[in-house]
Amino acid sequence: MEQHLTKILIIDDELLLRNGIKYLCNWEENGFTIAGEASNGLEALHMIEEIQPDIILTDIIMSVMDGIEFTKKLKEQYPWIHIIVLSSYDDFEYVKSLFKLGVADYLLKPALDKDELLALMNRLRSASPGIRSHASAAQTLKELLHGGTLCCPDALQRFRDAHTDFLETEPYLLLTGKILSDISFYTLEKKIAPEIVGQFAPHSHAFCISDEGYLCILLQTVPENKDLVPALSTALVTMLERKTGRKMIFTLSEPYNDLSCTLTRYKDCIRLLEYSFYFPERELLYPEDIKASALPFPQQEYQKNLDPLYLPGVRHLLRQYVRRTVESPSTEVFVFKKQIESALYSLILALTMAGFDTSGINMEKVKYFKMIDKAPDYAVLDKILDDFFLLVNNLVQRETARRDLDLFYQIKSYIADNCNQDLKLSDIAQAFHLNYTYLSTLFYQKTNEHFSDYLNKVRIEKARHLLQTQKLSIAQVSEQAGFINQGYFSKIFKKYTEMSPREYQKIYQRGK
């Protein structure tokens, strides 16, 4: 195999100096090649992706884009590329600021020495070979991930040129991960690149950040070490989380033997990552974690038990469905969330049909559905459901209390109008189309007394009114107040007024 040459890019606005560096020595004999040259930082940035340099020699003071701005932008996208600053004597303050941005070293232009420059470049080349060759290997992997025209032999050769020696005889594994927050892997690449290289250094590997923002690591290991891959992958995730302070989730593909299958495995991994919703405590998922057939939503049972006046039963059914789905994850997360939202919509509809004022809940519904759509895992979704059912329960209790109050006023009016009849609680229940037990409980809750006692009070109040305003016999008053037995009437009357009906009547008749 031909020797891999370390690629150099020269950036300086002086053509004379660029030519001086190009002809300073026989670069190829020393393992280097001048891959390109540019007159300013902006021109150089446009060349980076194509030529993939390992080391950059750059001036500081240049038009269009100077060395400082160029270094900032380069290190954001290509942190593994080494930068050597070419400085004049009066540029030292600039050099200090560049060191903070991550330049490797600086050399003075007026005293540029071939041996000193070669020694520095050799030191940089041997310092981090894994990161140095990452760029070209990453580009090759990116092409495989996005369905490029790269064939398997060409891909293998390009990986080997980048010092990534994949074997044609051993299967590949694709490790794909995402960060469980809004931050991108692109902003963390400078931090994580050395960790990946260090973790998988004994094994052939290449890594890149895909166009969709996933961190993808292509692995190959010898047969005797293949069982170590899950442990190595889990250790890497733990290390990256500790290094970045971000929660991550990764998937490990099935083994495959043809690099042209990388795109298919990548799509499988992305799909598998969506199921991390069901595994909030896991760091690494495998294809076998997902069951074959989706668990259907128990629509018939749910509709049968959809009772707005018994919300605990409705909540229990949803909680059971969530638990069963999590225990046997197979339903796509998007579908699962839409099933939950549909169930809540059915509950709101049932409340509306039952006469409840659901205008407030319908306004809140949009907010809750958005929260469900964004829920990162099932535990968060379950908490959202608890909050939603608390909201619904408050509505039901408030509306039920108002209804009961209105109903009770109607019942009291009915009793007052009909207390002279042989009135029983069962008659009132029938008149208002209510369950006898429900009415009995409601009556006691509202009056803190039994129906018979309340009815006696109403009848005595009517008797007092008759005794005060009408010239009737005690027997007539007893009958018109609803008492069948005059002796019983007198006994009850005295209980409430501490005097007999006759004594009461005399007081008011005397006043007239």
Side-chain angles (χ1 to χ4, degrees):
M1 189 188 304
E2 71 178 61
Q3 181 189 13
H4 173 81
L5 298 175
T6 300
K7 291 186 280 187
I8 301 169
L9 173 63
I10 306 169
I11 312 170
D12 199 292
D13 55 1
E14 296 181 33
L15 176 61
L16 187 63
L17 186 114
R18 295 202 305 269
N19 286 335
I21 294 174
K22 283 162 61 177
Y23 301 112
L24 188 65
C25 65
N26 188 326
W27 290 106
E28 282 75 13
E29 282 185 2
N30 289 281
F32 300 94
T33 181
I34 305 298
E37 57 181 290
S39 60
N40 61 70
L42 185 61
E43 184 184 343
L45 281 177
H46 292 155
M47 302 169 63
I48 299 292
E49 188 65 32
E50 181 183 350
I51 67 174
Q52 296 289 328
D54 299 296
I55 299 173
I56 293 175
L57 297 172
T58 182
D59 189 11
I60 297 176
I61 310 299
M62 295 179 288
S63 61
V64 185
M65 181 184 288
D66 65 19
I68 294 176
E69 185 64 22
F70 168 75
T71 301
K72 278 183 189 174
K73 292 184 179 297
L74 181 83
K75 286 298 182 179
E76 284 175 2
Q77 299 179 58
Y78 308 95
W80 53 85
I81 297 178
H82 296 297
I83 298 176
I84 299 172
V85 173
L86 301 174
S87 169
S88 299
Y89 288 111
D90 55 355
D91 291 337
F92 192 68
E93 288 304 314
Y94 288 105
V95 174
K96 285 199 296 185
S97 63
L98 282 164
F99 271 116
K100 293 178 182 177
L101 295 175
V103 300
D105 212 330
Y106 78 98
L107 294 173
L108 297 175
K109 282 186 187 181
L112 192 60
D113 179 75
K114 176 191 74 171
D115 294 334
E116 184 182 5
L117 179 58
L118 282 173
L120 174 56
M121 287 194 169
N122 281 316
R123 190 168 74 249
L124 292 177
R125 178 168 56 183
S126 61
S128 51
I131 295 176
R132 175 171 51 80
S133 61
H134 160 65
S136 53
Q139 183 60 32
T140 303
L141 178 55
K142 258 192 175 185
E143 289 186 39
L144 292 171
L145 292 175
H146 297 100
T149 57
L150 195 62
C151 64
C152 187
D154 288 346
L156 275 172
Q157 186 57 51
R158 283 175 57 173
F159 278 129
R160 287 166 183 161
D161 289 345
H163 297 285
T164 303
D165 295 322
F166 288 124
L167 303 174
E168 296 181 59
T169 56
E170 298 301 331
Y172 304 93
L173 290 165
L174 186 64
L175 187 65
T176 306
K178 67 176 182 179
I179 305 174
L180 300 177
S181 65
D182 293 336
I183 196 169
S184 165
F185 269 119
Y186 284 110
T187 62
L188 300 174
E189 189 168 10
K190 187 175 181 180
K191 281 187 177 181
I192 65 178
E195 305 297 334
I196 297 170
V197 172
Q199 186 69 11
F200 293 112
H203 312 278
S204 297
H205 70 280
F207 66 94
C208 72
I209 298 170
S210 70
D211 289 348
E212 293 79 16
Y214 297 98
L215 175 60
C216 300
I217 306 172
L218 183 65
L219 295 168
Q220 192 180 67
T221 185
V222 293
E224 56 267 26
N225 289 336
K226 66 178 181 179
D227 293 335
L228 295 176
V229 171
L232 284 171
S233 302
T234 302
L236 173 67
V237 179
T238 303
M239 190 186 305
L240 293 181
E241 287 181 340
R242 187 170 62 248
K243 184 89 173 178
T244 63
R246 308 285 175 173
K247 174 77 175 140
M248 302 179 187
I249 182 76
F250 278 73
T251 62
L252 191 62
S253 75
E254 297 278 8
Y256 60 102
N257 294 305
D258 190 339
L259 280 174
S260 63
C261 296
T262 301
L263 174 59
T264 303
R265 287 293 187 267
Y266 173 60
K267 289 180 177 178
D268 291 342
C269 285
I270 291 176
R271 178 177 173 273
L272 184 56
L273 279 172
E274 294 303 314
Y275 286 87
S276 63
F277 174 86
Y278 299 116
F279 303 93
E281 303 303 321
R282 292 272 294 276
E283 295 176 325
L284 190 62
L285 298 183
Y286 305 94
E288 57 266 28
D289 287 324
I290 308 306
K291 307 307 175 188
S293 56
L295 185 70
F297 183 80
Q299 189 66 35
Q300 191 172 352
E301 183 184 4
Y302 184 75
Q303 291 293 337
K304 181 181 176 182
N305 291 276
L306 197 54
D307 182 359
L309 296 178
Y310 185 57
L311 291 174
V314 182
R315 179 68 182 99
H316 176 69
L317 276 174
L318 280 181
R319 186 174 281 115
Q320 270 193 324
Y321 174 64
V322 171
R323 179 179 54 79
R324 287 201 303 267
T325 304
V326 170
E327 288 175 352
S328 183
S330 53
T331 305
E332 289 185 13
V333 175
F334 175 82
V335 173
F336 173 72
K337 289 180 175 181
K338 292 307 168 187
Q339 288 173 337
I340 295 296
E341 290 172 10
S342 177
L344 298 185
Y345 182 80
S346 296
L347 174 58
I348 296 172
L349 187 61
L351 287 165
T352 306
M353 297 290 288
F356 287 93
D357 179 8
T358 55
S359 57
I361 284 186
N362 272 314
M363 290 178 65
E364 291 288 309
K365 173 188 69 182
V366 177
K367 179 185 79 172
Y368 278 93
F369 283 11
K370 283 183 179 178
M371 289 166 63
I372 289 171
D373 289 341
K374 292 181 179 180
D377 58 64
Y378 78 89
V380 172
L381 182 139
D382 209 43
K383 176 64 170 61
I384 294 169
L385 288 179
D386 282 340
D387 292 343
F388 182 82
F389 271 86
L390 180 62
L391 179 72
V392 173
N393 188 60
N394 289 340
L395 166 74
V396 169
Q397 287 187 349
R398 188 171 60 252
E399 287 277 309
T400 302
R402 182 184 60 77
R403 284 186 183 190
D404 288 347
L405 191 60
D406 292 345
L407 176 64
F408 189 64
Y409 281 134
Q410 294 177 44
I411 292 171
K412 284 174 69 176
S413 180
Y414 181 86
I415 293 171
D417 293 341
N418 296 277
C419 67
N420 61 334
Q421 306 295 320
D422 183 17
L423 199 58
K424 296 183 178 65
L425 188 62
S426 57
D427 298 329
I428 300 173
Q430 187 175 4
F432 285 87
H433 308 288
L434 297 172
N435 176 276
Y436 175 86
T437 304
Y438 169 74
L439 178 57
S440 177
T441 303
L442 175 65
F443 214 95
Y444 193 81
Q445 285 176 345
K446 299 297 181 184
T447 65
N448 204 30
E449 57 189 349
H450 296 292
F451 172 72
S452 57
D453 295 327
Y454 179 81
L455 181 59
N456 280 337
K457 284 175 66 174
V458 173
R459 284 172 169 169
I460 294 302
E461 194 59 38
K462 184 167 186 177
R464 289 172 64 180
H465 178 73
L466 291 171
L467 290 169
Q468 291 174 22
T469 61
Q470 305 290 325
K471 291 184 178 181
L472 300 172
S473 67
I474 301 302
Q476 287 173 319
V477 171
S478 173
E479 183 180 352
Q480 289 188 31
F483 290 98
I484 299 173
N485 184 291
Q486 185 179 333
Y488 180 68
F489 164 61
S490 297
K491 179 182 177 182
I492 297 299
F493 192 91
K494 191 167 187 177
K495 175 184 175 182
Y496 283 104
T497 65
E498 297 184 347
M499 63 181 72
S500 69
R502 181 79 60 192
E503 290 169 337
Y504 190 88
Q505 189 180 47
K506 283 180 180 179
I507 292 172
Y508 281 92
Q509 292 300 327
R510 189 184 303 122
K512 291 184 179 181

